[in-house]
Short mmCIF file of all heavy atoms in Angstrom, two decimals:
data_model
loop_
_atom_site.label_atom_id
_atom_site.label_comp_id
_atom_site.label_asym_id
_atom_site.label_seq_id
_atom_site.Cartn_x
_atom_site.Cartn_y
_atom_site.Cartn_z
N MET A 15 -32.54 12.53 6.30
CA MET A 15 -31.85 11.29 6.19
C MET A 15 -30.41 11.52 5.53
O MET A 15 -29.53 10.75 5.63
CB MET A 15 -32.64 10.34 5.47
CG MET A 15 -32.00 8.96 5.39
SD MET A 15 -33.20 7.63 5.20
CE MET A 15 -32.31 6.55 4.13
N THR A 16 -30.47 12.62 4.73
CA THR A 16 -29.09 12.92 4.15
C THR A 16 -28.18 13.59 5.13
O THR A 16 -28.58 14.62 5.70
CB THR A 16 -29.23 13.78 2.85
OG1 THR A 16 -30.16 14.69 3.21
CG2 THR A 16 -29.70 12.85 1.78
N THR A 17 -27.06 12.99 5.42
CA THR A 17 -26.19 13.61 6.36
C THR A 17 -24.88 13.93 5.67
O THR A 17 -23.86 13.17 5.73
CB THR A 17 -25.93 12.60 7.50
OG1 THR A 17 -25.55 11.43 6.98
CG2 THR A 17 -27.06 12.63 8.40
N ASP A 18 -24.88 14.97 4.88
CA ASP A 18 -23.61 15.42 4.16
C ASP A 18 -22.50 15.76 4.98
O ASP A 18 -21.35 15.75 4.68
CB ASP A 18 -24.06 16.67 3.22
CG ASP A 18 -24.83 16.19 2.07
OD1 ASP A 18 -24.79 14.96 1.67
OD2 ASP A 18 -25.60 16.91 1.48
N GLN A 19 -22.76 16.19 6.22
CA GLN A 19 -21.64 16.64 6.98
C GLN A 19 -20.79 15.48 7.61
O GLN A 19 -19.79 15.73 8.24
CB GLN A 19 -22.23 17.43 8.11
CG GLN A 19 -23.15 18.54 7.74
CD GLN A 19 -22.82 19.89 8.47
OE1 GLN A 19 -22.58 19.93 9.55
NE2 GLN A 19 -23.11 20.92 7.61
N GLN A 20 -21.20 14.28 7.35
CA GLN A 20 -20.39 13.20 7.86
C GLN A 20 -19.19 12.78 6.97
O GLN A 20 -18.56 11.93 7.26
CB GLN A 20 -21.21 12.01 8.03
CG GLN A 20 -22.15 12.11 9.40
CD GLN A 20 -22.76 10.77 9.76
OE1 GLN A 20 -22.75 9.89 8.98
NE2 GLN A 20 -23.06 10.66 11.06
N SER A 21 -19.02 13.55 5.95
CA SER A 21 -17.95 13.14 5.07
C SER A 21 -16.48 13.48 5.77
O SER A 21 -15.42 13.44 4.89
CB SER A 21 -18.00 13.97 3.69
OG SER A 21 -18.19 15.31 4.03
N GLU A 22 -16.39 13.71 6.92
CA GLU A 22 -15.18 13.99 7.44
C GLU A 22 -14.35 12.70 7.77
O GLU A 22 -13.13 12.68 7.94
CB GLU A 22 -15.27 14.77 8.88
CG GLU A 22 -15.10 16.35 8.49
CD GLU A 22 -15.13 17.01 9.89
OE1 GLU A 22 -14.34 16.67 10.72
OE2 GLU A 22 -15.85 18.08 9.92
N THR A 23 -15.13 11.65 8.01
CA THR A 23 -14.42 10.34 8.19
C THR A 23 -13.65 9.97 6.90
O THR A 23 -14.17 10.23 5.81
CB THR A 23 -15.52 9.18 8.52
OG1 THR A 23 -16.53 9.41 7.62
CG2 THR A 23 -15.92 9.31 9.91
N SER A 24 -12.44 9.50 7.02
CA SER A 24 -11.66 9.08 5.93
C SER A 24 -12.20 8.03 5.07
O SER A 24 -12.69 7.05 5.56
CB SER A 24 -10.27 8.60 6.41
OG SER A 24 -9.52 8.21 5.36
N THR A 25 -12.31 8.29 3.80
CA THR A 25 -12.84 7.27 2.93
C THR A 25 -11.79 6.78 1.91
O THR A 25 -12.05 6.20 0.97
CB THR A 25 -14.05 7.77 2.12
OG1 THR A 25 -13.52 9.09 1.47
CG2 THR A 25 -15.22 7.98 2.99
N THR A 26 -10.58 7.11 2.28
CA THR A 26 -9.46 6.54 1.45
C THR A 26 -8.55 5.64 2.18
O THR A 26 -8.52 5.74 3.40
CB THR A 26 -8.65 7.65 0.93
OG1 THR A 26 -8.07 8.46 1.98
CG2 THR A 26 -9.35 8.50 -0.09
N ALA A 27 -7.94 4.71 1.48
CA ALA A 27 -7.01 3.73 2.08
C ALA A 27 -5.82 3.62 1.14
O ALA A 27 -5.90 4.22 0.02
CB ALA A 27 -7.61 2.47 2.23
N LEU A 28 -4.83 3.05 1.75
CA LEU A 28 -3.52 2.90 0.85
C LEU A 28 -3.51 1.50 0.42
O LEU A 28 -3.66 0.49 1.15
CB LEU A 28 -2.38 3.23 1.70
CG LEU A 28 -2.21 4.80 2.18
CD1 LEU A 28 -0.90 4.94 2.91
CD2 LEU A 28 -1.99 5.61 0.90
N GLN A 29 -3.25 1.42 -0.86
CA GLN A 29 -3.00 -0.09 -1.21
C GLN A 29 -1.64 -0.17 -1.99
O GLN A 29 -1.14 0.67 -2.72
CB GLN A 29 -4.04 -0.25 -2.36
CG GLN A 29 -3.95 -1.68 -2.98
CD GLN A 29 -5.15 -2.04 -3.80
OE1 GLN A 29 -6.28 -2.24 -3.33
NE2 GLN A 29 -5.12 -1.94 -5.17
N VAL A 30 -1.06 -1.28 -1.68
CA VAL A 30 0.31 -1.59 -2.34
C VAL A 30 0.11 -2.91 -2.99
O VAL A 30 -0.52 -3.91 -2.51
CB VAL A 30 1.47 -1.69 -1.38
CG1 VAL A 30 1.31 -2.94 -0.39
CG2 VAL A 30 2.74 -1.67 -2.07
N ALA A 31 0.59 -2.95 -4.27
CA ALA A 31 0.46 -4.12 -5.09
C ALA A 31 1.82 -4.51 -5.75
O ALA A 31 2.60 -3.64 -6.19
CB ALA A 31 -0.46 -4.08 -6.16
N CYS A 32 2.12 -5.74 -5.54
CA CYS A 32 3.41 -6.23 -6.17
C CYS A 32 3.29 -6.18 -7.64
O CYS A 32 2.46 -6.88 -8.26
CB CYS A 32 3.80 -7.58 -5.56
SG CYS A 32 5.43 -8.10 -6.09
N ASP A 33 4.23 -5.61 -8.40
CA ASP A 33 4.27 -5.51 -9.77
C ASP A 33 4.94 -6.40 -10.65
O ASP A 33 5.06 -6.48 -11.82
CB ASP A 33 4.75 -4.04 -10.19
CG ASP A 33 3.67 -3.11 -10.33
OD1 ASP A 33 2.39 -3.46 -10.33
OD2 ASP A 33 3.92 -1.90 -10.59
N THR A 34 5.49 -7.52 -9.87
CA THR A 34 6.32 -8.35 -10.67
C THR A 34 5.39 -9.38 -11.46
O THR A 34 5.37 -10.57 -11.14
CB THR A 34 7.26 -9.26 -9.77
OG1 THR A 34 6.48 -9.75 -8.74
CG2 THR A 34 8.25 -8.32 -9.16
N ALA A 35 4.78 -8.92 -12.57
CA ALA A 35 3.86 -9.67 -13.32
C ALA A 35 4.52 -10.88 -13.95
O ALA A 35 3.90 -11.87 -14.20
CB ALA A 35 3.27 -8.78 -14.37
N VAL A 36 5.79 -10.75 -14.20
CA VAL A 36 6.55 -11.91 -14.83
C VAL A 36 6.36 -13.19 -13.95
O VAL A 36 6.22 -14.28 -14.53
CB VAL A 36 7.97 -11.41 -14.86
CG1 VAL A 36 8.77 -12.34 -15.78
CG2 VAL A 36 8.10 -10.04 -15.43
N SER A 37 6.51 -12.96 -12.64
CA SER A 37 6.52 -14.16 -11.84
C SER A 37 5.06 -14.46 -11.31
O SER A 37 4.94 -15.41 -10.63
CB SER A 37 7.34 -13.84 -10.60
OG SER A 37 6.83 -12.80 -9.80
N GLY A 38 4.15 -13.70 -11.86
CA GLY A 38 2.82 -14.09 -11.58
C GLY A 38 2.41 -13.77 -10.11
O GLY A 38 1.33 -14.25 -9.60
N CYS A 39 3.10 -12.91 -9.48
CA CYS A 39 2.87 -12.61 -8.07
C CYS A 39 1.66 -11.65 -7.91
O CYS A 39 1.37 -10.76 -8.71
CB CYS A 39 3.99 -11.80 -7.52
SG CYS A 39 3.93 -11.35 -5.76
N VAL A 40 0.67 -12.19 -7.04
CA VAL A 40 -0.45 -11.39 -6.90
C VAL A 40 -0.46 -10.81 -5.37
O VAL A 40 -1.57 -10.34 -4.99
CB VAL A 40 -1.61 -12.23 -7.02
CG1 VAL A 40 -1.80 -12.69 -8.45
CG2 VAL A 40 -1.66 -13.51 -6.14
N PHE A 41 0.71 -10.41 -4.86
CA PHE A 41 0.65 -9.84 -3.53
C PHE A 41 -0.03 -8.50 -3.55
O PHE A 41 0.34 -7.65 -4.45
CB PHE A 41 2.19 -9.73 -3.11
CG PHE A 41 2.29 -8.83 -1.86
CD1 PHE A 41 2.12 -9.45 -0.68
CD2 PHE A 41 2.74 -7.51 -1.80
CE1 PHE A 41 2.20 -8.78 0.58
CE2 PHE A 41 2.76 -6.88 -0.63
CZ PHE A 41 2.70 -7.49 0.50
N ARG A 42 -0.98 -8.28 -2.66
CA ARG A 42 -1.62 -6.93 -2.58
C ARG A 42 -2.02 -6.77 -1.20
O ARG A 42 -2.46 -7.66 -0.51
CB ARG A 42 -2.84 -6.99 -3.55
CG ARG A 42 -3.56 -5.82 -3.68
CD ARG A 42 -4.57 -5.86 -4.56
NE ARG A 42 -3.96 -5.90 -5.96
CZ ARG A 42 -4.60 -5.55 -7.04
NH1 ARG A 42 -5.77 -5.27 -7.04
NH2 ARG A 42 -3.93 -5.68 -8.31
N MET A 43 -1.98 -5.58 -0.76
CA MET A 43 -2.36 -5.31 0.62
C MET A 43 -2.94 -3.87 0.73
O MET A 43 -2.63 -3.05 0.02
CB MET A 43 -1.01 -5.41 1.38
CG MET A 43 -1.36 -5.75 2.87
SD MET A 43 0.31 -5.71 3.78
CE MET A 43 -0.18 -4.66 5.03
N ARG A 44 -3.83 -3.90 1.74
CA ARG A 44 -4.48 -2.44 1.84
C ARG A 44 -4.57 -2.04 3.31
O ARG A 44 -4.60 -3.00 4.20
CB ARG A 44 -5.88 -2.61 1.29
CG ARG A 44 -6.66 -1.27 1.29
CD ARG A 44 -8.02 -1.43 0.80
NE ARG A 44 -7.98 -1.58 -0.71
CZ ARG A 44 -9.16 -1.63 -1.40
NH1 ARG A 44 -10.30 -1.55 -0.82
NH2 ARG A 44 -9.07 -1.78 -2.73
N THR A 45 -4.15 -0.80 3.59
CA THR A 45 -4.25 -0.39 5.08
C THR A 45 -4.80 0.87 5.10
O THR A 45 -5.00 1.60 4.12
CB THR A 45 -2.86 -0.37 5.79
OG1 THR A 45 -2.08 0.69 5.13
CG2 THR A 45 -2.16 -1.68 5.65
N GLU A 46 -5.06 1.40 6.31
CA GLU A 46 -5.42 2.76 6.57
C GLU A 46 -4.19 3.69 6.36
O GLU A 46 -3.02 3.15 6.44
CB GLU A 46 -5.95 2.98 7.88
CG GLU A 46 -7.39 2.20 8.15
CD GLU A 46 -7.72 2.41 9.55
OE1 GLU A 46 -7.26 3.28 10.24
OE2 GLU A 46 -8.63 1.59 9.98
N GLU A 47 -4.51 4.94 6.04
CA GLU A 47 -3.32 5.81 5.77
C GLU A 47 -2.46 6.00 6.97
O GLU A 47 -1.19 6.28 6.69
CB GLU A 47 -3.96 7.22 5.30
CG GLU A 47 -4.50 7.11 3.83
CD GLU A 47 -4.93 8.47 3.40
OE1 GLU A 47 -6.09 8.90 3.78
OE2 GLU A 47 -4.14 8.86 2.57
N ASP A 48 -2.89 5.88 8.15
CA ASP A 48 -2.10 5.98 9.22
C ASP A 48 -1.09 4.84 9.37
O ASP A 48 -0.11 4.99 10.03
CB ASP A 48 -3.03 5.90 10.53
CG ASP A 48 -3.79 7.25 10.78
OD1 ASP A 48 -3.45 8.19 10.02
OD2 ASP A 48 -4.69 7.29 11.57
N ASP A 49 -1.39 3.87 8.65
CA ASP A 49 -0.47 2.66 8.74
C ASP A 49 0.53 2.64 7.59
O ASP A 49 1.19 1.56 7.43
CB ASP A 49 -1.34 1.46 8.82
CG ASP A 49 -1.31 0.72 10.10
OD1 ASP A 49 -0.59 1.28 10.97
OD2 ASP A 49 -1.99 -0.36 10.17
N LYS A 50 0.85 3.75 7.07
CA LYS A 50 1.67 3.76 5.91
C LYS A 50 3.09 3.05 6.03
O LYS A 50 3.54 2.28 5.34
CB LYS A 50 1.76 5.11 5.28
CG LYS A 50 2.52 5.14 3.97
CD LYS A 50 2.45 6.59 3.27
CE LYS A 50 3.16 6.54 2.03
NZ LYS A 50 3.03 7.89 1.35
N ASP A 51 3.71 3.48 7.10
CA ASP A 51 5.10 3.04 7.46
C ASP A 51 5.06 1.40 7.44
O ASP A 51 5.91 0.86 6.85
CB ASP A 51 5.48 3.51 8.82
CG ASP A 51 5.85 4.94 8.79
OD1 ASP A 51 5.91 5.53 7.63
OD2 ASP A 51 6.11 5.58 9.79
N ARG A 52 4.03 0.93 8.12
CA ARG A 52 3.90 -0.58 8.23
C ARG A 52 3.73 -1.16 6.82
O ARG A 52 4.22 -2.28 6.59
CB ARG A 52 2.86 -0.94 9.21
CG ARG A 52 2.96 -2.23 9.80
CD ARG A 52 2.04 -2.58 10.87
NE ARG A 52 0.63 -2.43 10.40
CZ ARG A 52 -0.14 -3.56 9.94
NH1 ARG A 52 0.45 -4.77 9.93
NH2 ARG A 52 -1.30 -3.41 9.51
N LEU A 53 2.99 -0.61 6.03
CA LEU A 53 2.58 -1.06 4.74
C LEU A 53 3.87 -1.10 3.88
O LEU A 53 4.09 -2.08 3.22
CB LEU A 53 1.49 -0.21 4.08
CG LEU A 53 1.09 -0.48 2.64
CD1 LEU A 53 0.23 -1.77 2.74
CD2 LEU A 53 0.40 0.62 2.06
N LEU A 54 4.62 -0.05 4.10
CA LEU A 54 5.87 0.05 3.17
C LEU A 54 6.78 -1.04 3.53
O LEU A 54 7.45 -1.64 2.85
CB LEU A 54 6.49 1.42 3.29
CG LEU A 54 5.72 2.66 2.76
CD1 LEU A 54 6.52 3.84 3.09
CD2 LEU A 54 5.55 2.48 1.22
N GLU A 55 7.00 -1.20 4.91
CA GLU A 55 7.90 -2.25 5.29
C GLU A 55 7.56 -3.69 4.98
O GLU A 55 8.38 -4.45 4.57
CB GLU A 55 8.00 -2.22 6.90
CG GLU A 55 8.96 -0.93 7.27
CD GLU A 55 8.99 -0.57 8.83
OE1 GLU A 55 8.49 -1.51 9.52
OE2 GLU A 55 9.36 0.40 9.20
N ILE A 56 6.31 -3.91 5.06
CA ILE A 56 5.76 -5.23 4.73
C ILE A 56 6.01 -5.47 3.22
O ILE A 56 6.58 -6.62 2.74
CB ILE A 56 4.25 -5.42 5.23
CG1 ILE A 56 4.13 -5.43 6.58
CG2 ILE A 56 3.71 -6.76 4.46
CD1 ILE A 56 2.68 -5.50 7.13
N ALA A 57 5.71 -4.45 2.48
CA ALA A 57 5.91 -4.59 0.86
C ALA A 57 7.37 -4.80 0.64
O ALA A 57 7.73 -5.56 -0.12
CB ALA A 57 5.29 -3.40 0.22
N ARG A 58 8.13 -4.08 1.41
CA ARG A 58 9.67 -4.13 1.08
C ARG A 58 10.14 -5.57 1.51
O ARG A 58 10.95 -6.16 0.65
CB ARG A 58 10.40 -3.07 1.85
CG ARG A 58 11.98 -3.12 1.72
CD ARG A 58 12.60 -2.15 2.58
NE ARG A 58 12.34 -2.76 3.97
CZ ARG A 58 12.83 -2.26 5.12
NH1 ARG A 58 13.47 -1.19 5.10
NH2 ARG A 58 12.50 -2.71 6.37
N ASP A 59 9.81 -5.99 2.55
CA ASP A 59 10.17 -7.35 3.10
C ASP A 59 9.60 -8.42 2.05
O ASP A 59 10.30 -9.34 1.66
CB ASP A 59 9.65 -7.64 4.35
CG ASP A 59 10.35 -6.85 5.46
OD1 ASP A 59 11.40 -6.29 5.12
OD2 ASP A 59 9.84 -6.85 6.59
N HIS A 60 8.50 -8.23 1.59
CA HIS A 60 7.82 -9.18 0.53
C HIS A 60 8.66 -9.26 -0.75
O HIS A 60 9.14 -10.37 -1.16
CB HIS A 60 6.37 -8.82 0.11
CG HIS A 60 5.97 -9.40 -1.04
ND1 HIS A 60 5.47 -10.70 -1.01
CD2 HIS A 60 6.13 -9.06 -2.43
CE1 HIS A 60 5.21 -11.03 -2.39
NE2 HIS A 60 5.70 -10.01 -3.18
N VAL A 61 9.11 -8.03 -1.33
CA VAL A 61 9.90 -8.08 -2.43
C VAL A 61 11.25 -8.78 -2.24
O VAL A 61 11.75 -9.52 -3.10
CB VAL A 61 10.01 -6.50 -3.00
CG1 VAL A 61 11.06 -6.46 -4.06
CG2 VAL A 61 8.61 -5.95 -3.38
N ASN A 62 11.84 -8.35 -1.05
CA ASN A 62 13.10 -8.91 -0.61
C ASN A 62 13.13 -10.57 -0.59
O ASN A 62 13.96 -11.12 -1.08
CB ASN A 62 13.54 -8.20 0.60
CG ASN A 62 14.99 -8.53 0.88
OD1 ASN A 62 15.27 -9.41 1.77
ND2 ASN A 62 15.99 -7.87 0.19
N GLU A 63 12.15 -10.94 0.21
CA GLU A 63 12.04 -12.41 0.50
C GLU A 63 11.55 -13.24 -0.62
O GLU A 63 12.09 -14.31 -0.95
CB GLU A 63 11.19 -12.55 1.66
CG GLU A 63 11.89 -12.08 3.01
CD GLU A 63 10.85 -12.07 4.10
OE1 GLU A 63 9.89 -12.73 4.13
OE2 GLU A 63 11.26 -11.41 5.17
N GLN A 64 10.52 -12.72 -1.42
CA GLN A 64 10.00 -13.29 -2.43
C GLN A 64 10.66 -13.34 -3.68
O GLN A 64 10.58 -14.21 -4.55
CB GLN A 64 8.49 -13.12 -2.63
CG GLN A 64 7.66 -13.31 -1.37
CD GLN A 64 7.72 -14.76 -0.86
OE1 GLN A 64 7.47 -15.73 -1.64
NE2 GLN A 64 7.75 -15.06 0.40
N HIS A 65 11.31 -12.26 -3.91
CA HIS A 65 11.78 -11.91 -5.27
C HIS A 65 13.39 -11.58 -5.24
O HIS A 65 13.89 -11.31 -6.29
CB HIS A 65 11.02 -10.68 -5.89
CG HIS A 65 9.58 -10.90 -6.01
ND1 HIS A 65 8.98 -11.85 -6.83
CD2 HIS A 65 8.61 -10.26 -5.29
CE1 HIS A 65 7.65 -11.79 -6.58
NE2 HIS A 65 7.41 -10.87 -5.73
N GLY A 66 13.88 -11.56 -4.07
CA GLY A 66 15.22 -11.36 -3.94
C GLY A 66 15.76 -10.03 -4.43
O GLY A 66 16.91 -9.90 -4.83
N LYS A 67 14.96 -9.11 -4.35
CA LYS A 67 15.37 -7.84 -4.90
C LYS A 67 15.35 -6.96 -3.62
O LYS A 67 14.52 -6.77 -2.80
CB LYS A 67 14.33 -7.27 -5.90
CG LYS A 67 14.56 -7.83 -7.20
CD LYS A 67 13.92 -6.87 -8.34
CE LYS A 67 12.48 -6.75 -8.27
NZ LYS A 67 11.99 -5.90 -9.42
N GLU A 68 16.42 -5.90 -3.62
CA GLU A 68 16.56 -4.98 -2.63
C GLU A 68 15.77 -3.62 -3.02
O GLU A 68 16.12 -3.12 -4.16
CB GLU A 68 17.98 -4.61 -2.25
CG GLU A 68 18.71 -5.80 -1.83
CD GLU A 68 18.80 -5.79 -0.24
OE1 GLU A 68 18.37 -4.74 0.38
OE2 GLU A 68 19.13 -6.72 0.25
N VAL A 69 14.96 -3.30 -2.34
CA VAL A 69 14.22 -1.88 -2.62
C VAL A 69 14.02 -1.13 -1.50
O VAL A 69 14.01 -1.74 -0.37
CB VAL A 69 12.79 -2.23 -3.25
CG1 VAL A 69 12.69 -2.75 -4.60
CG2 VAL A 69 11.90 -3.02 -2.31
N THR A 70 14.02 0.18 -1.68
CA THR A 70 13.96 1.08 -0.55
C THR A 70 12.46 1.39 -0.23
O THR A 70 11.71 1.13 -1.11
CB THR A 70 14.73 2.32 -0.82
OG1 THR A 70 14.08 3.02 -1.77
CG2 THR A 70 16.26 2.12 -1.20
N LEU A 71 12.24 1.86 0.95
CA LEU A 71 10.88 2.29 1.34
C LEU A 71 10.46 3.37 0.33
O LEU A 71 9.18 3.40 -0.13
CB LEU A 71 10.86 2.82 2.75
CG LEU A 71 11.16 1.70 3.81
CD1 LEU A 71 10.98 2.23 5.19
CD2 LEU A 71 10.25 0.47 3.61
N GLU A 72 11.30 4.14 -0.12
CA GLU A 72 10.91 5.36 -1.04
C GLU A 72 10.48 4.67 -2.45
O GLU A 72 9.57 5.23 -2.98
CB GLU A 72 12.11 6.22 -1.24
CG GLU A 72 12.16 7.22 -0.07
CD GLU A 72 13.40 8.06 -0.22
OE1 GLU A 72 14.21 7.94 -1.26
OE2 GLU A 72 13.68 9.05 0.54
N GLU A 73 11.16 3.68 -2.85
CA GLU A 73 10.83 3.05 -4.10
C GLU A 73 9.43 2.53 -4.05
O GLU A 73 8.68 2.54 -5.05
CB GLU A 73 11.80 1.96 -4.51
CG GLU A 73 13.17 2.77 -5.03
CD GLU A 73 14.22 1.65 -5.36
OE1 GLU A 73 14.39 0.73 -4.61
OE2 GLU A 73 15.02 1.90 -6.26
N ILE A 74 9.22 1.71 -2.94
CA ILE A 74 7.89 1.17 -2.72
C ILE A 74 6.93 2.24 -2.75
O ILE A 74 5.82 2.15 -3.44
CB ILE A 74 7.86 0.48 -1.47
CG1 ILE A 74 8.92 -0.83 -1.35
CG2 ILE A 74 6.43 -0.09 -1.06
CD1 ILE A 74 8.36 -2.01 -2.24
N ASP A 75 7.16 3.24 -2.04
CA ASP A 75 6.11 4.36 -1.94
C ASP A 75 5.87 4.97 -3.29
O ASP A 75 4.70 5.21 -3.71
CB ASP A 75 6.75 5.56 -1.09
CG ASP A 75 5.77 6.53 -0.60
OD1 ASP A 75 4.54 6.34 -1.06
OD2 ASP A 75 6.16 7.57 -0.01
N GLU A 76 6.91 5.21 -3.96
CA GLU A 76 6.67 5.91 -5.30
C GLU A 76 6.17 4.93 -6.53
O GLU A 76 5.31 5.54 -7.18
CB GLU A 76 8.07 6.41 -5.89
CG GLU A 76 8.56 7.61 -5.09
CD GLU A 76 10.04 8.04 -5.54
OE1 GLU A 76 10.55 7.40 -6.44
OE2 GLU A 76 10.58 8.87 -4.81
N GLN A 77 6.49 3.71 -6.38
CA GLN A 77 6.13 2.90 -7.57
C GLN A 77 4.89 1.95 -7.29
O GLN A 77 4.38 1.53 -8.20
CB GLN A 77 7.33 1.93 -7.88
CG GLN A 77 8.55 2.85 -8.42
CD GLN A 77 9.79 2.16 -8.53
OE1 GLN A 77 9.70 0.84 -8.78
NE2 GLN A 77 10.92 2.86 -8.48
N HIS A 78 4.67 1.65 -6.04
CA HIS A 78 3.81 0.66 -5.73
C HIS A 78 2.52 1.04 -4.92
O HIS A 78 1.55 0.32 -4.81
CB HIS A 78 4.32 -0.58 -5.09
CG HIS A 78 5.34 -1.20 -5.91
ND1 HIS A 78 5.11 -2.14 -6.89
CD2 HIS A 78 6.69 -1.03 -5.89
CE1 HIS A 78 6.27 -2.49 -7.42
NE2 HIS A 78 7.35 -1.86 -6.89
N VAL A 79 2.58 2.09 -4.29
CA VAL A 79 1.60 2.61 -3.35
C VAL A 79 0.50 3.49 -4.16
O VAL A 79 0.92 4.39 -4.82
CB VAL A 79 2.09 3.37 -2.09
CG1 VAL A 79 0.82 3.81 -1.23
CG2 VAL A 79 2.90 2.35 -1.38
N GLU A 80 -0.74 3.18 -3.91
CA GLU A 80 -1.68 4.08 -4.54
C GLU A 80 -2.91 4.33 -3.45
O GLU A 80 -3.10 3.44 -2.60
CB GLU A 80 -2.25 3.57 -5.85
CG GLU A 80 -2.91 2.09 -5.58
CD GLU A 80 -3.34 1.55 -7.09
OE1 GLU A 80 -3.70 2.30 -7.88
OE2 GLU A 80 -3.35 0.21 -7.05
N THR A 81 -3.37 5.50 -3.59
CA THR A 81 -4.54 5.73 -2.72
C THR A 81 -5.94 5.25 -3.32
O THR A 81 -6.14 5.52 -4.54
CB THR A 81 -4.71 7.26 -2.42
OG1 THR A 81 -3.38 7.70 -1.99
CG2 THR A 81 -5.67 7.67 -1.45
N VAL A 82 -6.62 4.64 -2.63
CA VAL A 82 -7.87 4.08 -3.21
C VAL A 82 -9.13 4.42 -2.34
O VAL A 82 -9.03 4.64 -1.07
CB VAL A 82 -7.89 2.38 -3.34
CG1 VAL A 82 -6.82 2.12 -4.24
CG2 VAL A 82 -7.59 1.95 -1.74
N GLU A 83 -10.22 4.60 -3.04
CA GLU A 83 -11.41 4.88 -2.26
C GLU A 83 -11.97 3.63 -1.64
O GLU A 83 -11.96 2.59 -2.22
CB GLU A 83 -12.36 5.53 -3.18
CG GLU A 83 -12.07 6.66 -4.03
CD GLU A 83 -12.55 8.01 -3.35
OE1 GLU A 83 -13.47 7.90 -2.73
OE2 GLU A 83 -11.80 8.96 -3.43
N VAL A 84 -12.43 3.72 -0.43
CA VAL A 84 -12.99 2.56 0.15
C VAL A 84 -14.57 2.73 0.55
O VAL A 84 -15.09 3.94 0.54
CB VAL A 84 -12.35 2.23 1.43
CG1 VAL A 84 -10.90 1.66 1.16
CG2 VAL A 84 -12.29 3.39 2.56
ZN1 ZN B 125 5.56 -10.19 -5.21
#
């Protein structure tokens, strides 16, 4: 019943969370690692539209994205 060899399936996901605690923003999103580009773009658009701040995809990637176990 133990199937140790099945650990090849990805068990991690990417999560992005908006860090603007000041404004009480609770924006958070999780996607599969394959979807990273889309995740970064959505987060960037969110920060731009909701907080009026210009951020690059790189900044989002470095500061807001974390890998989580699922
Ligand atoms: Zn936000």
